[in-house]
Amino acid sequence: MLTEYAFWFLSFVAVFSGIAVIISKNPVYSVLYLIMTFFSIAGHYFLMNAQFLAAVHIIVYAGAIMVLFLYVIMMLNLNNIEVEKRSNALRLAAVVAAGLLLTILSGAAQKADQITLAEKTTAPSGLVENLGIALYKNYLLPFELASVLFLSAMVGAVYLSKKNLNETQA
Amino acid sequence: MTDSMLIYKIILCVIVFAVSLGAAAYMTWGERKLAAWLQDRVGPNRAGPLGLLQPIADGIKMIFKEEMIPTHSNRWLFILGPCFFMLCACMTGVVIPWGAGWEAGGTIFPMQVTDINIGLLYLLGVVSIGVYGVMIGGWASNNKYSLLGALRASSQMISYEVAMGLALIALVMMTGTLSLKEIVAQQDQGLSYVVYQPLGFIIFIICAFAETNRAPFDLPECESELVGGYHTEYSSMKLGFFLFAEYINMFISSAIMASLYFGGYNFPFQHELGLDGNLLTAVQTAVFFGKIFIFIFVFMWVRWTLPRFRYDQLMNLGWKVLLPLAIANIIITGFVMLFMGKLG
């Protein structure tokens, strides 16, 4: 019962803050609402008994990536972005695209089943030990490939920043 | 979970909260007394015997001071900043095992609010979101010194979080669990983990100093350069929250260091004393608090002994010294475990 209330509360917060990310004028507000969205999604992971995923979600997204976002926005001091004038063709395209999306969504909503809450799972699949065993036994190759990909991205970022440094010094 | 257990947990939650706040309040007194002692002064001695009522007087003063919100600041975020910082500081206490647990009517009541199996990750998560309070507060003040202080604080916290996390990974490799209760229980028999992880502990304590913004890493509030850092524009209890949360963070990180590396509530020959369960738990909790206060003493001792780092020195230390050392520590730990045949 409590989990059901928690589910509805978290869903409300997630949807509300997700919409607020888009409609806020001030980019700092957008970032803060996005952090709120991440928290409510992490709450959903907890409800699904995926504690590790929830913790990592908070640490990586809310704790690291969004801090850097906020950092950049504060440094650039983007208080209010001025909305540039849009041409009529662009507006027309936006209306058509939104109309198409509405058609698809209403079609999907008609076909969709009544929303049912997932059974409260007590399966230990989300716990650290099981996740570790799965990653290192069954999915070792994809896991290692993803790690190498991250490493190459890191090396690339360092290289790019170093390159600019040399140019400015020369 | 039974009803009695639920009520017990709620009470324990309130006790942990109250103890953190009380300890933080008296740490301000302790800090001033210790500073006075190190500098050959008397320190606070007017309010009550030995100045013991000084924290209460300070608290009352903080609450009744005039509260000012700068005109061009962002009002809601300005209020949210210190509140969030305080919230994060208070959130970490719930996963720390304060004692082994006491028995009443055949049920064992653990001295830990919750034993989630990702305890260490929870701690890292709360530490990593704690930076928002400082950033939001500093930005919303609409003051360049506040903003610079906030940027310094956040970059410092992010940088040292990395080395801290890597230092903990070496520990987790040895313990094989992320639950703080398990890690403390493993140190019941045998040596504390500081014996096996001396390098990890040194990295962790340096990072803890940086994360709590304590000297010699208190650059975010470096008054000679930045007026007051991220809390320049704050007054009244909102300023109090920022200062107070720093002491709570110090208390909690001392508790974490004591439980991860120094055996938590365990002490040598505890089972040879012949004490029965509940009495032993009481002694253990007292020992744990003793360990915490030793660490708090170290925090204060360092503050009144060492001068502040320069900002580039701080960043070099974090990224070029501590991070490679932490990675080396992980590799060494892995090799030693491999050769000792401790791998499962």
Side-chain angles (χ1 to χ4, degrees):
Chain A
M1 206 55 213
L2 205 62
T3 23
E4 198 170 320
Y5 287 131
F7 171 81
W8 287 112
F9 175 72
L10 288 171
S11 308
F12 172 75
V13 173
V15 172
F16 166 78
S17 46
I19 293 170
V21 173
I22 308 169
I23 60 173
S24 312
K25 287 264 165 59
N26 190 330
V28 173
Y29 281 155
S30 289
V31 170
L32 294 177
Y33 279 121
L34 193 55
I35 295 162
M36 223 158 101
T37 318
F38 286 143
F39 271 101
S40 46
I41 290 171
H44 278 299
Y45 288 144
F46 257 112
L47 288 184
M48 288 186 275
N49 210 19
Q51 302 180 351
F52 180 76
L53 197 57
V56 169
H57 190 77
I58 293 288
I59 294 173
V60 173
Y61 284 99
I65 295 179
M66 294 322 287
V67 171
L68 292 181
F69 264 61
L70 202 57
Y71 207 88
V72 170
I73 288 170
M74 285 177 178
M75 289 286 267
L76 296 178
N77 208 11
L78 299 169
N79 275 336
N80 286 302
I81 299 177
E82 280 164 30
V83 183
E84 46 199 280
K85 288 248 175 187
R86 294 190 173 126
S87 66
N88 279 338
L90 200 65
R91 283 184 184 167
L92 191 70
V95 169
V96 171
L100 285 174
L101 184 64
L102 182 69
T103 321
I104 293 169
L105 281 181
S106 51
Q110 271 194 335
K111 277 280 178 188
D113 297 330
Q114 196 69 31
I115 298 168
T116 47
L117 286 177
E119 284 293 306
K120 190 196 168 199
T121 173
T122 45
S125 56
L127 304 185
V128 189
E129 292 87 356
N130 303 313
L131 199 70
I133 288 168
L135 277 181
Y136 281 97
K137 271 197 176 145
N138 307 344
Y139 304 103
L140 184 61
L141 185 66
F143 182 71
E144 291 294 330
L145 284 180
S147 316
V148 172
L149 197 65
F150 274 122
L151 188 66
S152 59
M154 264 164 65
V155 173
V158 171
Y159 173 73
L160 284 178
S161 58
K162 283 276 173 194
K163 197 171 99 185
N164 288 339
L165 198 70
N166 287 342
E167 272 170 13
T168 47
Q169 275 173 351
Chain B
M1 194 186 281
T2 56
D3 280 350
S4 61
M5 192 57 111
L6 189 67
I7 293 167
Y8 168 72
K9 293 271 177 168
I10 291 169
I11 294 172
L12 191 64
C13 228
V14 174
I15 291 175
V16 167
F17 185 64
V19 167
S20 314
L21 290 182
Y26 273 90
M27 276 157 71
T28 60
W29 172 83
E31 171 118 57
R32 292 165 72 178
K33 274 287 181 195
L34 192 73
W37 180 48
L38 288 176
Q39 296 173 346
D40 203 13
R41 294 186 281 118
V42 181
N45 67 345
R46 294 290 138 181
L50 293 171
L52 270 173
L53 296 177
Q54 190 66 41
I56 297 163
D58 281 344
I60 293 170
K61 184 195 78 173
M62 280 285 189
I63 291 169
F64 285 102
K65 280 256 179 175
E66 185 186 356
E67 184 158 326
M68 284 199 275
I69 296 181
T71 336
H72 290 288
S73 68
N74 193 320
R75 193 184 164 85
W76 286 110
L77 293 185
F78 189 77
I79 298 171
L80 183 70
C83 297
F84 194 77
F85 197 51
M86 191 74 178
L87 177 74
C88 288
C90 293
M91 266 168 70
T92 35
V94 293
V95 290
I96 293 168
W98 303 94
W102 48 279
E103 196 199 330
T107 332
I108 292 173
F109 292 95
M111 291 276 282
Q112 184 188 21
V113 178
T114 174
D115 178 37
I116 42 180
N117 75 349
I118 46 156
L120 275 182
L121 283 179
Y122 172 83
L123 282 179
L124 284 177
V126 174
V127 167
S128 68
I129 58 172
V131 65
Y132 284 118
V134 172
M135 276 181 96
I136 293 170
W139 180 78
S141 303
N142 195 24
N143 175 322
K144 60 184 166 191
Y145 296 114
S146 299
L147 182 65
L148 282 173
L151 291 177
R152 273 189 180 185
S154 49
S155 54
Q156 173 179 329
M157 283 173 165
I158 296 170
S159 306
Y160 279 79
E161 234 169 69
V162 179
M164 183 185 240
L166 288 176
L168 284 180
I169 282 177
L171 182 77
V172 170
M173 280 164 70
M174 292 197 64
T175 59
T177 176
L178 290 168
S179 150
L180 265 84
K181 189 182 174 186
E182 282 286 310
I183 292 174
V184 173
Q186 283 173 5
Q187 299 174 76
D188 184 352
Q189 308 293 330
L191 297 165
S192 297
Y193 278 120
V194 70
V195 181
Y196 302 108
Q197 287 286 336
L199 185 59
F201 170 69
I202 290 168
I203 296 169
F204 190 89
I205 194 170
I206 294 173
C207 294
F209 273 83
E211 288 287 328
T212 49
N213 288 336
R214 291 286 297 186
F217 305 109
D218 60 344
L219 286 129
E221 45 192 300
C222 179
E223 63 269 17
S224 51
E225 297 165 19
L226 290 175
V227 189
Y230 55 87
H231 51 61
T232 303
E233 293 286 350
Y234 282 90
S235 58
S236 180
M237 203 54 206
K238 289 206 275 300
L239 172 69
F241 267 21
F242 271 128
L243 302 181
F244 212 61
E246 182 187 308
Y247 283 93
I248 298 177
N249 280 334
M250 216 157 90
F251 176 68
I252 298 288
S253 45
S254 301
I256 291 167
M257 282 189 282
S259 29
L260 290 182
Y261 290 100
F262 283 87
Y265 52 77
N266 295 304
F267 57 94
F269 306 113
Q270 51 182 350
H271 299 299
E272 279 74 37
L273 285 176
L275 297 172
D276 76 313
N278 287 347
L279 199 58
L280 182 63
T281 301
V283 176
Q284 282 176 331
T285 307
V287 169
F288 186 47
F289 273 91
K291 289 177 183 175
I292 293 173
F293 285 118
I294 291 172
F295 277 111
I296 291 172
F297 174 75
V298 173
F299 266 103
M300 292 174 178
W301 184 18
V302 168
R303 173 168 177 185
W304 297 102
T305 308
L306 291 179
R308 194 177 279 140
F309 274 90
R310 221 171 51 219
Y311 197 67
D312 57 323
Q313 292 172 329
L314 173 93
M315 282 296 154
N316 281 343
L317 179 69
W319 288 105
K320 294 183 182 166
V321 179
L322 291 182
L323 191 64
L325 273 180
I327 294 173
N329 190 33
I330 291 176
I331 295 170
I332 294 168
T333 309
F335 271 114
V336 171
M337 282 172 71
L338 186 66
F339 290 125
M340 302 284 276
K342 273 195 168 182
L343 288 179

